Amino acid sequence: MSRLLLLSLAAAFTLGAQKLPFDAQALLSLARIGDPQVSPDGKTVAFTVQTIDVPANTKPVQIYVVPLSGGAPRQITHEGSSNTNPRWSPDSKMIYFVSNRSGSSQIWSMDASGGSARQLTSLSTEADGVLVSPDGKNLVFTSEVYPECTDDACNKRKIEDERASKVKARTYTSLLYRHWTQWQGARRKHLMSMPATGGAVKDLTPGSRDVPPFSLDGGRDYAISPDGAEVCFVMNTDEDLATSTNSDLYVVPIGGGETRKITSNPAADNGPVYSPDGKYLAWRAQSRAGYESDRWRLIVMERATGKVNNPTETLDRSVGSIAWTPDSTRLVFAMEDRGRSVFQMIPATGGGARTIVSGASQLDDPQFTPDGKTLVYTAHSGSHPAEIYSAASAGGAPTEMTHLNDAVFEKYHLGALEEFEVEGAEKARVSTFLLKPYGFQANKKYPVLFLIHGGPQGAWGESWTYRWNAQVFAAAGYVVVMPNPRGSTGYGQRFTDEINGDWGGKAADDIMAVADYVAKQPYADANRMAAAGGSYGGYMVNWLLGHTVRFKAFVSHAGVYDLRSMFGETEELWFPLWEFRNTPWGDPEMYAKWSPSFYAKEFRTPTLVIHGELDFRVPFGQGLQLFTALKMNKVPAKLLVFPDEGHWIQKPQNSLLWYRTFLDWIGEWTKPPAK
């Protein structure tokens, strides 16, 4: 056989064996794992799995279990499209959960194998977020009720009257009248309790406040004491909720009664976790009122005396999810650091912290087995979606307990993120993650796509995302560049704070320094660079529109365009009040200085504008103003509007359209030069 024939066969084999590019369809084929719960006997982990049904445009969720000793996960719920929030009974024989299998969201119980399912609530206001008291006697959950009602019959009557009314007008006398994607209605979220066997429901937090308050991070802002007698919860009682981040901790008897406030911090307190022996209560707290991106500290209170200590005060990183060791002497917490996260362990009474799990990934949901020997958690990276892992608490290599997406990994190529640093504004070190395109060849030049993160106090890192997935963009042939400029988290609080009052300043300089570096790389085509971003990332795109012609195309998703009108349209007013230190009428120069709308006459770059009509964080008008300015300036532009989406694009078919329109637009302006 000739050498030429051997080479031809080898090339054919390589092409045949090559994995496929990871496109948006592949992204939606992944199983999305969440909410792992270790059974009290330490033998099993229950968790949820969300899958995507594109034709039906739905995201069904079911409950699975997996043995801690090893073995294949097993689905144990099958009825209904939403089965969530699995919580074990103290004897590990039962699982309580929330399901819509009866037509509305209610609390159910089943045995540990998924059998003998029983509906425990039938509330007209529905139920969610169930917890089981450690003594197994009671359940605590949330329900959205009419504050003036004292029983479900009253709630049911008001719901029916509201639905039947032909008048849909809304009347308000206070701010925060709409939030995220919803207008404020007459109902409020309250904490409820009931016997674990079923029976009468007690409202633990009557009144006009939502308990717990709205949260984007999915954290559980209430907990039951180990003796089953008390519930600790988060509530904000400030008069003007639109300008306040001042949530505090309160406690109330599990059977109802007098509520008692136990914190007096003027900033946010959240995520209470009781120690297993009941002697301590731990939570996360910020210190600066009105600043949602202040550093999160770990706080520990001795319940008998009320004595409080902050064991992480000297740590210049934010504390994430928290878990107690079974002996109640130490805590484990997640900590973001330079685009990754680690689990650190620290004595409850203070002392040195040590890392017990690290790696190139994001870690969350820490829980110990009852003997304290094993830590169970979730982890994901830029090339691997979340799975459940276990690791010896004394150290050692982790074990991946679930492999629900292995078939996808075998079929599709997922590249590894690279990282580099450049010198940004004022000689600061600016870190950037980079992903090379599918089928990368070092001797070729590729178009470059910059992704600018939101926040602005956010960060790119070794993390998986479904909304701005770098793997999908790399599969389309782009060098994907993800800079972490000033304002990014995980690089110290000073680095984060340096964007306050300076939105288009040092952060923009940092991004352009990264662009300079990438343009010099032999595989990057400096004449075919594009940039895209959402929220603050959209703001930065809008800012760059008026300040550079370096990029061939832009995508601005839910981007802030005019800071003055943004102030009057948005809901969480504490955010612009902190970032710009005043109102637009209190300091018009500040708002004019950093508003992209003031530089519209300089717009030259073709731009795709994307917005959801239900976006109340960065309201729809911001996108319309930007599109109008582009068209009036004769700049090539396209407007993509989602009437049924908010700040994020979440419906499966909308997501596919988002990725397709995004890539088509960038591709139109970064095509290879004609030969």
Side-chain angles (χ1 to χ4, degrees), residues 67-202:
L68 258 164
S69 59
R74 182 167 57 88
Q75 182 178 339
I76 61 171
T77 60
H78 301 274
E79 297 180 50
S81 60
S82 179
N83 293 276
T84 64
N85 208 107
R87 295 298 183 271
W88 293 93
S89 63
D91 61 7
S92 301
K93 294 181 179 180
M94 301 278 291
I95 296 175
Y96 296 86
F97 63 107
V98 177
S99 178
N100 69 352
R101 62 182 63 192
S102 62
S104 63
S105 178
Q106 304 293 342
I107 296 174
W108 289 68
S109 66
M110 61 183 169
D111 62 38
S113 63
S116 305
R118 175 175 171 240
Q119 185 171 341
L120 299 177
T121 62
S122 299
L123 295 171
S124 62
T125 53
E126 305 191 33
D128 200 3
V130 65
L131 295 183
V132 184
S133 63
D135 60 10
K137 295 179 180 180
N138 293 289
L139 307 178
V140 172
F141 58 95
T142 63
S143 188
E144 294 191 1
V145 302
Y146 292 89
E148 62 270 28
C149 287
T150 58
D151 57 35
D152 193 54
C154 172
N155 282 306
K156 183 177 181 181
R157 183 171 62 253
K158 285 186 171 292
I159 289 172
E160 291 172 349
D161 290 346
E162 192 173 320
R163 288 173 179 168
S165 176
K166 302 301 182 184
V167 178
K168 305 300 180 184
R170 305 180 182 99
T171 302
Y172 299 98
T173 58
S174 61
L175 293 174
L176 208 65
Y177 49 84
R178 62 179 189 175
H179 205 180
W180 199 241
T181 59
Q182 292 184 322
W183 290 87
Q184 178 70 273
R187 292 157 68 178
R188 299 292 184 270
K189 183 189 292 185
H190 284 183
L191 279 181
M192 323 293 281
S193 69
M194 64 177 290
T197 54
V201 174
K202 180 69 176 180

Side-chain angles (χ1 to χ4, degrees), residues 486-509:
R486 225 60 60 91
S488 299
T489 57
Y491 299 88
Q493 192 61 43
R494 177 182 174 182
F495 193 87
T496 301
D497 292 348
E498 283 185 327
I499 201 167
N500 300 157
D502 189 45
W503 270 30
K506 291 185 288 293
D509 292 342

Side-chain angles (χ1 to χ4, degrees), residues 389-626:
Y389 293 78
S390 65
S393 57
T399 299
E400 186 174 339
M401 296 176 59
T402 56
H403 298 269
L404 295 183
N405 293 304
D406 280 4
V408 177
F409 302 149
E410 291 172 2
K411 185 176 180 181
Y412 294 96
H413 170 79
L414 292 165
L417 299 189
E418 301 175 21
E419 187 178 10
F420 63 86
E421 281 190 351
V422 302
E423 187 177 277
E426 299 178 350
K427 300 187 181 299
R429 302 305 297 172
V430 177
S431 176
T432 297
F433 287 87
L434 180 145
L435 183 61
K436 288 175 179 172
Y438 173 79
F440 175 77
Q441 297 179 43
N443 61 344
K444 289 187 175 182
K445 284 187 177 290
Y446 296 90
V448 180
L449 174 60
F450 281 76
L451 300 181
I452 306 173
H453 67 67
Q457 293 88 1
W460 296 119
E462 273 289 357
S463 56
W464 189 262
T465 175
Y466 289 95
R467 292 192 300 273
W468 289 73
N469 190 275
Q471 299 287 343
V472 174
F473 299 131
Y478 295 93
V479 175
V480 184
V481 180
M482 296 172 283
N484 282 327
R486 225 60 60 91
S488 299
T489 57
Y491 299 88
Q493 192 61 43
R494 177 182 174 182
F495 193 87
T496 301
D497 292 348
E498 283 185 327
I499 201 167
N500 300 157
D502 189 45
W503 270 30
K506 291 185 288 293
D509 292 342
D510 290 346
I511 290 170
M512 296 311 296
V514 174
D516 290 341
Y517 173 86
V518 172
K520 296 175 183 177
Q521 303 310 302
Y523 52 80
D525 190 335
N527 296 313
R528 292 193 290 153
M529 298 201 302
S535 196
Y536 171 81
Y539 164 90
M540 182 54 73
V541 163
N542 301 343
W543 180 262
L544 293 175
L545 256 171
H547 290 81
T548 182
V549 292
R550 183 82 170 269
F551 300 95
K552 295 299 182 183
F554 284 129
V555 177
S556 176
H557 174 110
V560 178
Y561 172 71
D562 182 77
L563 288 175
R564 299 166 303 175
S565 58
M566 168 72 177
F567 185 92
E569 292 179 327
T570 194
E571 8 87 299
E572 294 181 350
L573 293 178
W574 64 75
F575 181 73
L577 286 173
W578 181 275
E579 293 297 321
F580 304 109
R581 302 166 183 162
N582 210 322
T583 62
W585 53 90
D587 190 349
E589 291 80 11
M590 170 71 84
Y591 280 78
K593 179 179 181 180
W594 299 120
S595 182
S597 61
F598 276 73
Y599 303 91
K601 66 179 181 180
E602 305 297 334
F603 290 180
R604 300 289 185 272
T605 306
T607 302
L608 170 64
V609 182
I610 306 175
H611 228 108
E613 289 188 33
L614 299 179
D615 186 353
F616 300 155
R617 179 60 44 81
V618 180
F620 181 39
Q622 296 292 304
L624 297 184
Q625 291 182 67
L626 171 62

Side-chain angles (χ1 to χ4, degrees), residues 194-262:
M194 64 177 290
T197 54
V201 174
K202 180 69 176 180
D203 189 339
L204 300 181
T205 58
S208 62
R209 299 294 178 169
D210 282 302
V211 179
F214 176 88
S215 172
L216 279 179
D217 64 9
R220 181 56 47 79
D221 281 336
Y222 50 98
I224 306 174
S225 62
D227 60 8
E230 177 184 270
V231 179
C232 181
F233 62 90
V234 176
M235 180 167 62
N236 186 336
T237 60
D238 280 6
E239 182 177 353
D240 189 354
L241 295 177
T243 62
S244 170
T245 61
N246 183 26
S247 55
D248 279 296
L249 300 187
Y250 295 76
V251 292
V252 64
I254 200 166
E258 181 181 357
T259 294
R260 182 167 56 92
K261 183 180 177 182
I262 63 171

